[in-house]
Amino acid sequence: ILEVDSNGWGLIEVKNKFSLGDEIDIIHPKGNKRIVISEMLDRKDNKVEVAQGSGVFVKIPNMHGLEKAL
């Protein structure tokens, strides 16, 4: 998670493909967290259903306090 905006949307650099409905693990020094991807936006705030993989950046909600997480 590269940055989190004031609304809690976290900009993430995608390493492996994932889609809406998938579970991902957030690894952070404050504790790990498993979340289900319910919403996802591209850098221009367009809704997307699939983060294709390496080299793609997407935003996911509810990431307050998780800056710099993996």
Side-chain angles (χ1 to χ4, degrees):
I1 301 175
L2 302 173
E3 61 187 46
V4 178
D5 69 17
S6 61
N7 294 318
W9 285 88
L11 177 66
I12 61 173
E13 181 178 1
V14 178
K15 300 294 183 185
N16 297 304
K17 180 180 176 179
F18 59 87
S19 304
L20 292 179
D22 287 350
E23 287 186 342
I24 63 170
D25 292 314
I26 306 292
I27 302 168
H28 193 272
K30 293 180 184 176
N32 299 341
K33 182 176 177 178
R34 180 170 284 175
I35 64 167
V36 175
I37 302 296
S38 60
E39 293 181 85
M40 197 165 30
L41 304 174
D42 65 14
R43 284 187 143 182
K44 295 180 181 179
D45 292 335
N46 298 309
K47 290 184 178 188
V48 294
E49 294 187 15
V50 178
Q52 290 295 334
S54 186
V56 173
F57 294 84
V58 296
K59 298 176 187 177
I60 56 176
N62 305 316
M63 295 292 107
H64 281 299
L66 296 173
E67 292 85 352
K68 307 297 180 198
L70 302 173

